[in-house]
Amino acid sequence: MVALLLFPMLLQLLSPTCAQTQKSITLGSTLAPQGPASSWLSPFGDFAFGFRPVEGNTSFYLIAIWFNKISDKTVVWYAKNTDQDPSIVEVPSDSFLQLTNDGALSLKDRSGQEGWNPQVTGVAYASMRNTGNFVLLGADSTTKWQTFDTPSDTILPTQVVPCNKTRNKSLRVRLDIDDYSSGRFLLDVQTDGNLALYLVAVPSGSKYQQYWSTDTTGNGSELVFSETGKINISSGAGIGSMADYFHRATLDPDGVFRQYVYPKKANAGILGGETWTAVSMQPQNICHAIVSDVGSGVYEFNSYCTFDIGTRNQIASCQCPPWYKFFDEQKKYKGCKQDFQPHSCDLDEATALAQFELRPIYGVDWPLSDYEKYEPIGQDDCGRLCVIECFCAMAVHNQSTSTCWKKKLPLSNGNMADYVQRTVLLKVPSSNSSQFMISTSSNKWKRNRKHWVLGSSLILGTSILVNFALISIFLFGTYCRITTKKNIPLSQASSKSQLPLKTFTYKELEKATAGFHEILGAGASGVVYKGQLEDELKTNIAVKTIDKLQPETRPVSTFL
Ligand SMILES: *[C@@H]1O[C@H](CO)[C@@H](O)[C@H](O)[C@H]1NC(C)=O
Ligand SMILES: *[C@@H]1O[C@H](CO)[C@@H](O)[C@H](O)[C@H]1NC(C)=O
Ligand SMILES: *[C@@H]1O[C@H](CO)[C@@H](O)[C@H](O)[C@H]1NC(C)=O
Ligand SMILES: *[C@@H]1O[C@H](CO)[C@@H](O)[C@H](O)[C@H]1NC(C)=O
Ligand SMILES: *[C@@H]1O[C@H](CO)[C@@H](O)[C@H](O)[C@H]1NC(C)=O
Ligand SMILES: *[C@@H]1O[C@H](CO)[C@@H](O)[C@H](O)[C@H]1NC(C)=O
Ligand SMILES: *[C@@H]1O[C@H](CO)[C@@H](O)[C@H](O)[C@H]1NC(C)=O
């Protein structure tokens, strides 16, 4: 059955020059961002090449290729200036792109000034293929240039990124989902045959840390996305047939290389509705994969990375510690800053002790940024030494070894952790000081926490009652250890069987929270309640209720 369905598609893929299906784009053809002709379609209409408006910015367009039949028009390729200057080509709205009569592809503005060209000559015609590849061809039908050779952040079935012995070929992430400038990660097909993911500096792109690789140095590996939907560095093979699903693999802005499928027809089957569903990903937990001694980690400084397996495509997210706030709520990856008057180095000890205090925070750690270490020392002295010093932003104390570390700003590599012997103490304005304003309602519960829990929710529908019923709670702490030890092999994101994910009914949650009784806190999208499961461990949980529909539910973490 599957083979039968695949057959017409394969036939199409295997005969890319087949005349009746390949409508070619002839010399003299022109596209304009705001004209009737703003893109060229593939014969089946699945893909389009042309001008794409940039969300939130009406003054310029991208030259791009996108999935044309689906509602969100997912961009899979976008033009960059040159190899030396890999910034995106920003197209003013009065420009036009022409396959010129003398055989070149050229972007020009009204005054005739050239803005971009892919540096090929002798083109006889062009073709937007059904595979999503836009190709410039010579009179003898040889390929002169193709977008498959200059991948942006996405590869498609039938695309191969070969190993080139003289230069590393990379996929570079965009900065954010709607910001196409070069981001903080890249996937390299290296000259030495290794395929690796790197954390890189923005904007220079110099490599910081390798956080994942195929370990195939010396054997000339290439990155292959086969026509059957299998990428040879992932296990997403065969999930969602080519006939029923669109496929892509993207190095996402959070540094994870994910393989996605999208049903071609509504209600096409088990893999979600009309949306992209990740079927495999590398690395499995980006927050834990990166600890970089230079640079800030997965997100910018003073933030921490949370990664919630309970959410749909397991997107990592950036959070600020209490008393810190985002530089930009819209661009959270930019990190956080203190939301209080910082400790001035002019304060004397007594004033510092009156104005600042240390508060334990749970479930989070910043493993680097230490600048001082004392041993043996008790927790109170450790804290005091941090409070009185203007450089100190955080102290960490290990009870079993009586070790104290002092940390300075900016804090880097913030991450979820479930230490038991290690207490992370954040320096904040003391409750005595005029700066104090945070609610301390959850303090009582903050003490003595052995297990902390991250509650996450997906939205089922729009009715308040349904939204109120939380669908899944993911338990960290005890359970998290078990899974990480098991060393899940290249797991498929959609196979929930391997994950310690439990679905709760509304009734169970109502019971666990004693009728949504005790409030722990409130976020932008809803209220978080304290609860306790009736398991052997009497695991404490945080239950978040959603009262606002958001297109994508972000994971929510709670300090307990
Ligand atoms: C639109 O993008 C251009 C080019 O990057 C930039 O100069 C301009 O400020 C942006 N406008 C808005 C409203 O974001
Ligand atoms: C490798 O890259 C160089 C520089 O871009 C190019 O000239 C060469 O043709 C490539 N080699 C192969 C085998 O593709
Ligand atoms: C390719 O990347 C590797 C790993 O970062 C590096 O060692 C090597 O020098 C790079 N090769 C070239 C030609 O830049
Ligand atoms: C390279 O290929 C050889 C022969 O197939 C194999 O024995 C070896 O393990 C491979 N090395 C790596 C690093 O994959
Ligand atoms: C991917 O597949 C290609 C061709 O089948 C092969 O040459 C390459 O070594 C594979 N790469 C990895 C990392 O397995
Ligand atoms: C708060 O202020 C009072 C009076 O100034 C002082 O006695 C007390 O120790 C202070 N508490 C803290 C935590 O600094
Ligand atoms: C605290 O010290 C103990 C004993 O040396 C050690 O096993 C543990 O890993 C330390 N914890 C942390 C988080 O450093």
Side-chain angles (χ1 to χ4, degrees):
M1 179 63 177
V2 171
L4 268 178
L5 287 174
L6 274 174
F7 190 62
M9 187 64 185
L10 282 178
L11 202 66
Q12 179 55 39
L13 295 171
L14 293 174
S15 53
T17 50
C18 185
Q20 65 270 35
T21 54
Q22 290 297 331
K23 211 166 42 176
S24 58
I25 297 143
T26 53
L27 296 185
S29 303
T30 303
L31 297 177
Q34 290 166 334
S38 65
S39 65
W40 290 314
L41 298 187
S42 62
F44 291 173
D46 293 347
F47 291 96
F49 171 92
F51 295 107
R52 211 51 238 142
V54 177
E55 207 165 309
N57 194 330
T58 49
S59 60
F60 84 95
Y61 292 76
L62 299 175
I63 300 174
I65 294 174
W66 60 91
F67 280 97
N68 191 52
K69 276 189 178 161
I70 65 180
S71 54
D72 79 352
K73 307 281 182 264
T74 314
V75 169
V76 296
W77 179 88
Y78 38 97
K80 298 187 178 178
N81 282 306
T82 57
D83 284 346
Q84 289 72 39
D85 169 23
S87 54
I88 47 166
V89 177
E90 292 175 350
V91 183
S93 54
D94 65 351
S95 308
F96 60 97
L97 185 67
Q98 191 174 47
L99 195 56
T100 63
N101 285 323
D102 50 8
L105 184 68
S106 175
L107 175 79
K108 291 204 172 107
D109 66 15
R110 275 280 162 262
S111 66
Q113 174 101 13
E114 186 166 71
W116 174 80
N117 77 65
Q119 288 160 7
V120 275
T121 52
V123 177
Y125 63 101
S127 171
M128 180 65 240
R129 308 272 204 219
N130 283 323
T131 53
N133 190 12
F134 178 73
V135 191
L136 301 177
L137 303 106
D140 54 358
S141 295
T142 53
T143 298
K144 295 260 179 191
W145 180 86
Q146 53 184 343
T147 53
F148 270 17
D149 284 342
T150 57
S152 306
D153 59 0
T154 298
I155 58 170
L156 296 167
T158 72
Q159 190 165 358
V160 174
V161 185
C163 173
N164 183 316
K165 291 272 188 285
T166 58
R167 77 181 254 267
N168 292 324
K169 274 269 198 183
S170 338
L171 268 62
R172 178 91 181 258
V173 285
R174 57 185 92 157
L175 206 43
D176 206 359
I177 198 74
D178 51 9
D179 182 346
Y180 291 82
S181 36
S182 296
R184 303 160 44 73
F185 307 92
L186 63 79
L187 170 64
D188 236 356
V189 180
Q190 286 178 193
T191 50
D192 61 8
N194 204 7
L195 269 54
L197 290 168
Y198 288 92
L199 177 69
V200 299
V202 172
S204 78
S206 57
K207 292 173 184 168
Y208 283 152
Q209 187 207 352
Q210 186 186 95
Y211 59 93
W212 181 85
S213 90
T214 54
D215 265 330
T216 46
T217 304
N219 281 2
S221 295
E222 50 192 10
L223 178 58
V224 177
F225 199 160
S226 79
E227 57 264 52
T228 57
K230 178 172 168 50
I231 304 177
N232 67 349
I233 60 166
S234 80
S235 63
I239 296 170
S241 72
M242 300 303 289
D244 292 336
Y245 293 91
F246 292 118
H247 291 241
R248 71 178 162 104
T250 302
L251 184 58
D252 284 324
D254 65 359
V256 180
F257 187 60
R258 291 185 181 81
Q259 185 179 351
Y260 289 96
V261 297
Y262 189 111
K264 289 188 176 176
K265 292 184 259 341
N267 308 321
I270 48 158
L271 293 172
E274 281 182 71
T275 175
W276 288 104
T277 301
V279 292
S280 87
M281 58 196 281
Q282 285 295 0
Q284 295 302 309
N285 184 333
I286 186 70
C287 297
H288 284 164
I290 292 181
V291 180
S292 171
D293 52 1
V294 270
S296 56
V298 181
Y299 295 109
E300 283 293 346
F301 292 106
N302 301 329
S303 66
Y304 67 93
C305 176
T306 63
F307 177 79
D308 189 352
I309 303 178
T311 53
R312 185 179 185 89
N313 288 328
Q314 307 185 20
I315 308 278
S317 81
C318 180
Q319 306 281 338
C320 293
W323 285 95
Y324 283 65
K325 67 175 180 197
F326 291 112
F327 279 100
D328 183 344
E329 274 289 335
Q330 255 59 58
K331 298 184 173 182
K332 294 189 172 171
Y333 63 87
K334 288 186 167 176
C336 315
K337 58 184 176 187
Q338 290 176 327
D339 194 15
F340 55 88
Q341 200 66 45
H343 185 163
S344 157
C345 291
D346 296 333
L347 294 187
D348 59 30
E349 265 186 45
T351 318
L353 282 166
Q355 291 199 352
F356 294 95
E357 66 185 26
L358 291 182
R359 290 176 171 243
I361 58 174
Y362 296 92
V364 192
D365 194 18
W366 287 263
L368 303 182
S369 329
D370 300 334
Y371 71 95
E372 196 120 61
K373 177 182 171 183
Y374 308 111
E375 198 176 53
I377 189 171
Q379 184 167 319
D380 289 349
D381 288 334
C382 174
R384 189 177 171 278
L385 288 168
C386 179
V387 169
I388 61 175
E389 188 171 81
C390 62
F391 305 128
C392 189
M394 176 182 286
V396 173
H397 189 256
N398 185 335
Q399 286 90 324
S400 65
T401 53
S402 297
T403 313
C404 171
W405 291 271
K406 289 201 292 190
K407 291 178 190 290
K408 59 180 167 18
L409 295 180
L411 301 166
S412 67
N413 296 279
N415 195 356
M416 297 186 297
D418 61 341
Y419 297 126
V420 176
Q421 293 137 321
R422 199 171 141 105
T423 309
V424 176
L425 301 156
L426 188 69
K427 184 160 150 189
V428 301
S430 76
S431 27
N432 262 4
S433 88
S434 54
Q435 293 197 49
F436 186 82
M437 55 195 162
I438 204 168
S439 148
T440 53
S441 67
S442 59
N443 254 6
K444 183 182 49 157
W445 207 44
K446 278 181 177 175
R447 312 274 170 233
N448 263 335
R449 297 282 306 140
K450 286 237 163 67
H451 312 293
W452 70 282
V453 176
L454 196 84
S456 76
S457 60
L458 299 170
I459 299 168
L460 264 186
T462 48
S463 98
I464 293 195
L465 195 76
V466 176
N467 286 339
F468 202 71
L470 186 124
I471 301 157
S472 66
I473 293 185
F474 187 76
L475 305 177
F476 274 74
T478 4
Y479 297 108
C480 189
R481 294 246 191 84
I482 300 165
T483 37
T484 45
K485 287 225 175 77
K486 261 204 296 192
N487 204 0
I488 303 173
L490 278 171
S491 77
Q492 292 156 8
S494 61
S495 87
K496 299 235 159 59
S497 59
Q498 293 169 320
L499 307 173
L501 188 68
K502 182 175 180 337
T503 304
F504 295 88
T505 63
Y506 179 78
K507 275 218 145 44
E508 282 174 311
L509 291 176
E510 195 175 33
K511 195 161 175 207
T513 56
F516 299 96
H517 183 64
E518 190 169 340
I519 295 179
L520 276 177
S525 57
V527 179
V528 182
Y529 294 89
K530 176 186 168 178
Q532 191 170 49
L533 297 180
E534 294 186 320
D535 58 4
E536 332 59 294
L537 296 165
K538 294 271 173 244
T539 309
N540 287 321
I541 59 169
V543 176
K544 180 166 187 194
T545 58
I546 307 289
D547 46 36
K548 221 192 295 176
L549 255 188
Q550 288 171 339
E552 186 177 48
T553 314
R554 293 284 174 183
V556 175
S557 73
T558 317
F559 290 99
L560 305 176

Short mmCIF file of all heavy atoms in Angstrom, two decimals, residues 148-170:
data_model
loop_
_atom_site.label_atom_id
_atom_site.label_comp_id
_atom_site.label_asym_id
_atom_site.label_seq_id
_atom_site.Cartn_x
_atom_site.Cartn_y
_atom_site.Cartn_z
N PHE A 148 19.65 24.02 -3.90
CA PHE A 148 20.06 22.87 -3.08
C PHE A 148 21.55 22.90 -2.75
O PHE A 148 21.99 22.26 -1.81
CB PHE A 148 19.71 21.56 -3.80
CG PHE A 148 18.33 21.03 -3.48
CD1 PHE A 148 17.36 21.83 -2.90
CD2 PHE A 148 18.00 19.70 -3.75
CE1 PHE A 148 16.09 21.35 -2.60
CE2 PHE A 148 16.73 19.19 -3.44
CZ PHE A 148 15.78 20.02 -2.87
N ASP A 149 22.34 23.64 -3.57
CA ASP A 149 23.78 23.73 -3.28
C ASP A 149 24.11 24.80 -2.24
O ASP A 149 25.23 24.86 -1.75
CB ASP A 149 24.56 24.05 -4.56
CG ASP A 149 24.70 22.83 -5.46
OD1 ASP A 149 24.49 21.70 -4.96
OD2 ASP A 149 24.98 23.02 -6.66
N THR A 150 23.15 25.68 -1.97
CA THR A 150 23.42 26.74 -0.99
C THR A 150 22.34 26.73 0.09
O THR A 150 21.55 27.66 0.21
CB THR A 150 23.43 28.13 -1.66
OG1 THR A 150 22.16 28.31 -2.31
CG2 THR A 150 24.52 28.27 -2.68
N PRO A 151 22.28 25.63 0.86
CA PRO A 151 21.20 25.53 1.86
C PRO A 151 21.28 26.67 2.87
O PRO A 151 22.36 27.16 3.18
CB PRO A 151 21.47 24.18 2.53
CG PRO A 151 22.88 23.84 2.24
CD PRO A 151 23.22 24.51 0.93
N SER A 152 20.12 27.09 3.35
CA SER A 152 20.09 28.11 4.40
C SER A 152 20.05 27.42 5.75
O SER A 152 21.08 27.09 6.30
CB SER A 152 18.87 29.01 4.22
OG SER A 152 18.84 29.52 2.91
N ASP A 153 18.83 27.13 6.26
CA ASP A 153 18.75 26.40 7.53
C ASP A 153 17.96 25.11 7.38
O ASP A 153 17.73 24.42 8.36
CB ASP A 153 18.15 27.28 8.63
CG ASP A 153 16.75 27.79 8.30
OD1 ASP A 153 16.23 27.44 7.21
OD2 ASP A 153 16.16 28.50 9.11
N THR A 154 17.54 24.81 6.14
CA THR A 154 16.63 23.67 5.93
C THR A 154 17.10 22.80 4.78
O THR A 154 17.63 23.33 3.79
CB THR A 154 15.21 24.21 5.62
OG1 THR A 154 14.75 24.95 6.75
CG2 THR A 154 14.23 23.10 5.32
N ILE A 155 16.92 21.49 4.91
CA ILE A 155 17.11 20.61 3.76
C ILE A 155 15.82 19.84 3.51
O ILE A 155 14.98 19.67 4.41
CB ILE A 155 18.31 19.64 3.89
CG1 ILE A 155 18.19 18.77 5.12
CG2 ILE A 155 19.62 20.41 3.89
CD1 ILE A 155 19.21 17.64 5.17
N LEU A 156 15.66 19.41 2.26
CA LEU A 156 14.43 18.76 1.80
C LEU A 156 14.77 17.39 1.25
O LEU A 156 15.93 17.13 0.89
CB LEU A 156 13.79 19.62 0.70
CG LEU A 156 13.31 21.01 1.13
CD1 LEU A 156 12.99 21.86 -0.09
CD2 LEU A 156 12.10 20.90 2.06
N PRO A 157 13.78 16.51 1.15
CA PRO A 157 14.03 15.20 0.56
C PRO A 157 14.66 15.33 -0.83
O PRO A 157 14.26 16.22 -1.60
CB PRO A 157 12.63 14.57 0.48
CG PRO A 157 11.89 15.20 1.60
CD PRO A 157 12.39 16.62 1.65
N THR A 158 15.59 14.48 -1.12
CA THR A 158 16.44 14.41 -2.33
C THR A 158 17.62 15.37 -2.25
O THR A 158 18.45 15.37 -3.15
CB THR A 158 15.70 14.69 -3.67
OG1 THR A 158 15.38 16.09 -3.76
CG2 THR A 158 14.43 13.87 -3.81
N GLN A 159 17.70 16.17 -1.22
CA GLN A 159 18.83 17.11 -1.11
C GLN A 159 20.03 16.43 -0.46
O GLN A 159 19.89 15.69 0.51
CB GLN A 159 18.40 18.33 -0.29
CG GLN A 159 19.41 19.47 -0.33
CD GLN A 159 18.83 20.78 0.18
OE1 GLN A 159 17.64 20.86 0.52
NE2 GLN A 159 19.65 21.80 0.23
N VAL A 160 21.21 16.71 -1.02
CA VAL A 160 22.45 16.15 -0.48
C VAL A 160 23.40 17.31 -0.22
O VAL A 160 23.57 18.17 -1.07
CB VAL A 160 23.09 15.17 -1.49
CG1 VAL A 160 24.45 14.70 -0.99
CG2 VAL A 160 22.17 14.00 -1.76
N VAL A 161 23.96 17.37 0.97
CA VAL A 161 25.02 18.33 1.23
C VAL A 161 26.31 17.53 1.24
O VAL A 161 26.59 16.81 2.20
CB VAL A 161 24.82 19.07 2.57
CG1 VAL A 161 25.88 20.15 2.73
CG2 VAL A 161 23.42 19.67 2.66
N PRO A 162 27.09 17.60 0.14
CA PRO A 162 28.24 16.71 0.04
C PRO A 162 29.40 17.18 0.91
O PRO A 162 29.47 18.34 1.30
CB PRO A 162 28.60 16.79 -1.44
CG PRO A 162 28.12 18.13 -1.88
CD PRO A 162 26.95 18.49 -1.02
N CYS A 163 30.28 16.25 1.19
CA CYS A 163 31.51 16.60 1.89
C CYS A 163 32.47 17.15 0.85
O CYS A 163 32.75 16.50 -0.15
CB CYS A 163 32.11 15.36 2.55
SG CYS A 163 33.72 15.64 3.27
N ASN A 164 32.93 18.38 1.07
CA ASN A 164 33.90 18.99 0.16
C ASN A 164 35.23 19.03 0.90
O ASN A 164 35.32 19.55 2.00
CB ASN A 164 33.40 20.40 -0.19
CG ASN A 164 34.31 21.08 -1.20
OD1 ASN A 164 35.52 21.03 -1.09
ND2 ASN A 164 33.70 21.74 -2.18
N LYS A 165 36.25 18.46 0.26
CA LYS A 165 37.55 18.31 0.93
C LYS A 165 38.24 19.65 1.20
O LYS A 165 39.19 19.73 1.99
CB LYS A 165 38.48 17.44 0.08
CG LYS A 165 38.05 15.98 0.01
CD LYS A 165 38.64 15.17 1.17
CE LYS A 165 38.39 13.69 1.01
NZ LYS A 165 37.00 13.32 1.31
N THR A 166 37.77 20.72 0.53
CA THR A 166 38.47 21.99 0.73
C THR A 166 37.68 23.02 1.53
O THR A 166 38.23 24.01 1.98
CB THR A 166 38.86 22.64 -0.62
OG1 THR A 166 37.67 22.83 -1.39
CG2 THR A 166 39.83 21.75 -1.40
N ARG A 167 36.37 22.78 1.68
CA ARG A 167 35.67 23.77 2.51
C ARG A 167 34.47 23.16 3.26
O ARG A 167 33.80 22.27 2.76
CB ARG A 167 35.29 24.99 1.69
CG ARG A 167 34.15 24.91 0.77
CD ARG A 167 34.01 26.27 0.06
NE ARG A 167 32.89 27.02 0.59
CZ ARG A 167 31.68 26.96 0.06
NH1 ARG A 167 31.44 26.22 -0.99
NH2 ARG A 167 30.70 27.65 0.59
N ASN A 168 34.30 23.65 4.47
CA ASN A 168 33.19 23.19 5.29
C ASN A 168 31.89 23.77 4.74
O ASN A 168 31.81 24.95 4.45
CB ASN A 168 33.37 23.68 6.73
CG ASN A 168 34.53 23.00 7.43
OD1 ASN A 168 34.79 21.83 7.21
ND2 ASN A 168 35.23 23.75 8.26
N LYS A 169 30.89 22.93 4.60
CA LYS A 169 29.57 23.39 4.15
C LYS A 169 28.66 23.48 5.36
O LYS A 169 28.58 22.53 6.14
CB LYS A 169 28.98 22.35 3.20
CG LYS A 169 29.42 22.51 1.77
CD LYS A 169 28.42 23.40 1.07
CE LYS A 169 28.55 23.23 -0.43
NZ LYS A 169 27.64 24.12 -1.13
N SER A 170 27.98 24.61 5.53
CA SER A 170 27.16 24.72 6.74
C SER A 170 25.73 25.12 6.49
O SER A 170 25.42 25.81 5.54
CB SER A 170 27.74 25.76 7.71
OG SER A 170 29.07 26.00 7.48
#
